[in-house]
Amino acid sequence: MDDIWISGRAALNDASELMDEHGSNATTVAAHRARDSRSKDNIVRYCHWRQIERVIERLECHERRGALH
């Protein structure tokens, strides 16, 4: 997985909240919210929820990334 850009604390809060509430289905829930936003032509919320999907995937990844010192 490539490194991701996180827009701010709100993105981390939303990702954490979904993970707490939905466990292993958190990514699926974020994807559903993204699709729902897109169907309503709300591109800002669509991009937000797509980013949340990527944040959740990264937080769930146990692979080491980057330089180890």
Side-chain angles (χ1 to χ4, degrees):
M1 180 185 302
D2 293 329
D3 291 334
I4 60 170
W5 176 78
I6 300 173
S7 63
R9 185 70 200 165
L12 291 173
N13 288 342
D14 285 345
S16 178
E17 184 177 304
L18 283 184
M19 292 171 76
D20 289 344
E21 291 178 12
H22 300 283
S24 63
N25 293 323
T27 304
T28 303
V29 173
H32 176 71
R33 291 182 184 187
R35 283 191 304 274
D36 186 51
S37 296
R38 187 173 187 178
S39 71
K40 294 176 183 176
D41 292 328
N42 188 339
I43 193 66
V44 172
R45 294 305 291 171
Y46 167 76
C47 291
H48 172 78
W49 289 113
R50 287 288 293 136
Q51 181 183 44
I52 300 310
E53 280 183 77
R54 292 186 292 273
V55 169
I56 292 169
E57 288 172 354
R58 185 67 190 115
L59 290 173
E60 290 178 338
C61 180
H62 298 289
E63 173 186 323
R64 290 184 180 175
R65 304 278 306 165
L68 300 177
H69 299 277

